[in-house]
């Protein structure tokens, strides 16, 4: 059988590609099961994987939760299965980029929101259509969407079921960056290279602080940072020495 999630490792970046292109990468239980296996493996590979990219194969990121599966009655392996997989992805120790082109609707948007960085092309189409189908979110939409775009905009998206372009997503803060369709691959490669060039230790430490202090009052967050910061990484001396050597050669 064809894998529903493909993994490619490239220079320290694990690229996970949703692979149901004939179904516009719609999300079913089997796809989530494969995604979970990859995420579980990556969580223990911090020495060899410094960054994760989740993207869709073919025409789009994903058209969302497979409505045929919903109608037929899904049989997940445990309660709240899909939500727990998305949570595992969001809580990976490594930074996560969700790279969106084409459709990114409802369940797919909930998956995309697990990314630390949402990167998209101009042809991206974002929407939350739960209300169109008389559904309510259980994969994180009501919590992650307002934290990213603000409560008023989240209400607008959830109540209208309107579709937003990549540029509109960038303007509202849903996407960190929107690039021209023709530049999508090159700009995504440049972004991954820039992140991987910095200390993987710092990335993990910084992400942990951001996750663990999310929602805390400022004073509590500052105290937590002082008490729980992971401090100096094992590559600090080498990085400073490399910078000093470069500076000395220039001067």
């Amino acid at each position: 059988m064809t894998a529903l999630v493909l993994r490619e490792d490239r220079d320290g970046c694990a690229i996970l590609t949703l692979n149901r292109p004939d179904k516009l990468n719609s999300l079913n239980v089997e796809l989530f099961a494969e995604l979970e296996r990859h995420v579980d493996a990556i969580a223990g590979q911090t020495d060899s994987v410094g960054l994760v990219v989740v993207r869709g194969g073919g025409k789009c990121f994903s058209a969302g939760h497979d409505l045929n599966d919903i109608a037929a009655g899904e049989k997940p392996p445990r309660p709240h299965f899909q939500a727990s997989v998305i949570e595992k992805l969001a809580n990976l120790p490594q930074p996560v980029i969700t790279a969106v082109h084409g459709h990114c609707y409802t369940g797919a948007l909930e998956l995309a929101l697990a990314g630390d960085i949402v990167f998209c092309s101009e042809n991206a189409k974002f929407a939350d259509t739960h209300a169109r189908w008389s559904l309510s979110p259980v994969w994180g939409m009501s919590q992650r969407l307002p934290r990213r775009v603000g409560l008023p905009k989240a209400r607008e998206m959830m109540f209208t079921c309107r579709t937003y372009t990549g540029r509109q997503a960038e303007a509202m803060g849903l996407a960190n960056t929107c690039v021209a369709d023709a530049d999508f691959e090159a700009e995504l490669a440049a972004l991954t290279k820039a992140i991987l060039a910095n200390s993987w230790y710092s990335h993990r430490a910084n992400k942990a602080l951001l996750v663990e202090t999310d929602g805390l009052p400022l004073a509590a967050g500052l105290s937590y940072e002082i008490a729980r910061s992971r401090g100096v990484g094992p590559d600090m001396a080498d990085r400073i020495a490399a910078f000093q050597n470069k500076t000395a050669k220039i001067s």
Side-chain angles (χ1 to χ4, degrees):
M1 293 179 63
T2 303
L4 300 178
V5 180
L6 305 175
R7 174 175 172 177
E8 178 188 0
D9 284 33
R10 190 184 302 167
D11 300 323
C13 179
I15 303 167
L16 301 179
T17 302
L18 310 180
N19 189 41
R20 294 186 78 200
D22 57 322
K23 302 292 185 181
L24 298 179
N25 299 320
S26 58
L27 306 171
N28 60 11
V29 171
E30 292 76 17
L31 186 148
F32 268 101
E34 291 192 21
L35 179 61
E36 181 177 44
R37 286 194 289 271
H38 286 300
V39 170
D40 285 344
I42 289 168
Q45 296 170 344
T46 53
D47 288 341
S48 58
V49 178
L51 175 66
V52 179
V53 172
V54 180
R55 59 180 305 171
K59 296 179 180 179
C60 67
F61 180 74
S62 170
H65 197 168
D66 192 323
L67 295 178
N68 291 327
D69 264 24
I70 296 175
E74 291 180 318
K75 294 180 175 60
R78 61 180 184 270
H80 314 299
F81 171 60
Q82 295 95 328
S84 70
V85 176
I86 291 174
E87 190 71 7
K88 282 185 177 185
L89 177 65
N91 289 327
L92 276 172
Q94 303 95 333
V96 176
I97 297 172
T98 44
V100 177
H101 73 291
H103 306 310
C104 183
Y105 297 152
T106 317
L109 178 53
E110 290 174 297
L111 178 61
L113 287 168
D116 299 295
I117 295 174
V118 179
F119 176 91
C120 76
S121 64
E122 287 181 332
N123 73 0
K125 296 177 175 64
F126 296 91
D128 174 29
T129 63
H130 279 101
R132 184 173 296 163
W133 312 116
S134 192
L135 299 169
S136 58
V138 290
W139 295 357
M141 185 74 76
S142 70
Q143 300 306 302
R144 290 197 174 93
L145 184 62
R147 282 170 169 78
R148 194 172 279 268
V149 304
L151 187 57
K153 201 67 179 180
R155 285 175 169 150
E156 176 190 307
M157 292 184 69
M158 296 174 76
F159 296 160
T160 65
C161 300
R162 188 178 297 158
T163 299
Y164 298 78
T165 67
R167 289 298 177 195
Q168 289 173 319
E170 181 185 45
M172 74 172 81
L174 175 56
N176 295 77
T177 305
C178 177
V179 300
D181 300 343
D183 298 331
F184 184 74
E185 298 296 343
E187 292 292 339
L188 178 59
L191 176 61
T192 61
K193 183 178 180 180
I195 292 172
L196 287 166
N198 295 314
S199 169
W200 298 6
Y201 176 89
S202 292
H203 289 334
R204 296 193 300 272
N206 291 341
K207 180 169 179 176
L209 283 172
L210 292 170
V211 170
E212 291 161 6
T213 61
D214 185 29
L216 289 181
L218 177 60
L222 291 170
S223 296
Y224 190 98
E225 179 186 271
I226 291 170
R228 299 291 294 273
S229 175
R230 299 184 185 183
V232 173
D235 53 348
M236 185 196 75
D238 290 341
R239 286 177 171 274
I240 291 175
F243 175 79
Q244 290 175 326
N245 290 338
K246 181 180 178 181
T247 302
K249 289 176 183 177
I250 293 173
S251 59

